Amino acid sequence: MITENVKRLLEEIPATNPQGERVRLVAAVKTQTVEAINEAVAAGITDIGDNHVQEFRDKYAGITGDVRRHFIGHLQTNKIKYLLGKCFLYHSIDRLNLAEELSKKSAERGITSDILVQVNAGNEETKGGFAFEELGGALEQITALPALRVKGLMAMLPFSDDQILLRELAARMRGEYDRFNALFGGFEYLSMGMSGDWKLCVECGSNLIRLGTSIFGKRSA
Ligand SMILES: *Cc1c(COP(=O)(O)O)cnc(C)c1O
């Protein structure tokens, strides 16, 4: 099941987005067992993303193969230490003090951490991230931090059937990505798209999608 899902997705996901950038797939592995994750990796998954630090830690040693580990969930500052040096890309930098703490801890460790700044594209109370209006100011402060490299933006679009709204938000995200890349430079990833909306997101210029359900099936928890 997982093997077939991964093979089908790897065929289905276009190699590049309309901007000609390579589209990358991160498997969202929250609640999945090490066995399920290893099956996905054997089928061709190269990148996995965790939401919970505890799961990241518990499964770290058990994942076979050369996979990049991403963190895609809400991160508490007191748990940064468990991810330092092990996380290829932090997608969910959603507040200034988290960026400051991650930079400080990275500097103490003598490393630089690659991050994405999370945008609350749908302005939802239940989601983290900066509003579009706050993004410029936030990026100015975060790009100035010594031990972080801002590699782009991340967003979770609202759960909605309104395709027009979703396209509008996804296109706006791409617009902001281009605008701020022109200003600050160094962007590589626009992390946007989950099982329900990834096609639309790639069509609008996402180059990194995070899929859970379409790889592992419906989560029970
Ligand atoms: C769970 C999760 C995903 C994947 O969601 P699916 O709908 O299962 O594909 C992507 N991104 C984040 C941040 C998630 O928490």
Side-chain angles (χ1 to χ4, degrees), residues 28 30 51 72 154 156 194-195 210-213 219:
K30 56 176 174 279
N51 283 72
I72 63 176
M154 180 270 213
M156 291 171 83
M194 318 201 324
S195 294
R210 311 173 308 269
L211 306 183
T213 309
R219 285 179 293 274

Side-chain angles (χ1 to χ4, degrees), residues 129-180:
F130 297 95
F132 283 121
E133 297 72 32
E134 303 169 322
L135 191 53
L139 280 167
E140 207 166 300
Q141 291 180 274
I142 295 171
T143 52
L145 294 169
L148 300 185
R149 269 187 302 255
V150 179
K151 304 294 265 184
L153 304 178
M154 180 270 213
M156 291 171 83
L157 297 184
F159 287 106
S160 167
D161 291 328
D162 186 344
Q163 300 291 307
I164 294 173
L165 170 75
L166 293 178
R167 273 183 195 277
E168 200 176 285
L169 293 175
R172 183 163 182 196
M173 280 297 302
R174 181 66 207 202
E176 300 287 292
Y177 177 87
D178 289 332
R179 184 159 76 92
F180 288 118

Side-chain angles (χ1 to χ4, degrees), residues 51-111:
N51 283 72
H52 304 290
V53 171
Q54 191 64 48
E55 283 192 51
F56 184 104
R57 297 178 68 195
D58 287 349
K59 294 174 197 168
Y60 191 80
I63 312 281
T64 52
D66 192 15
V67 289
R68 287 182 287 261
R69 306 288 305 258
H70 299 242
F71 196 77
I72 63 176
H74 179 75
L75 181 55
Q76 293 168 263
T77 51
N78 63 349
K79 300 218 169 125
I80 289 170
K81 55 180 180 277
Y82 301 116
L83 304 181
L84 267 188
K86 296 179 175 157
C87 182
F88 174 73
L89 184 65
Y90 298 82
H91 292 230
S92 40
I93 302 304
D94 58 1
R95 55 200 196 280
L96 205 54
N97 87 308
L98 176 59
E100 286 165 351
E101 269 306 299
L102 182 57
S103 178
K104 187 170 151 234
K105 295 256 165 32
S106 299
E108 285 167 9
R109 185 71 74 88
I111 60 172

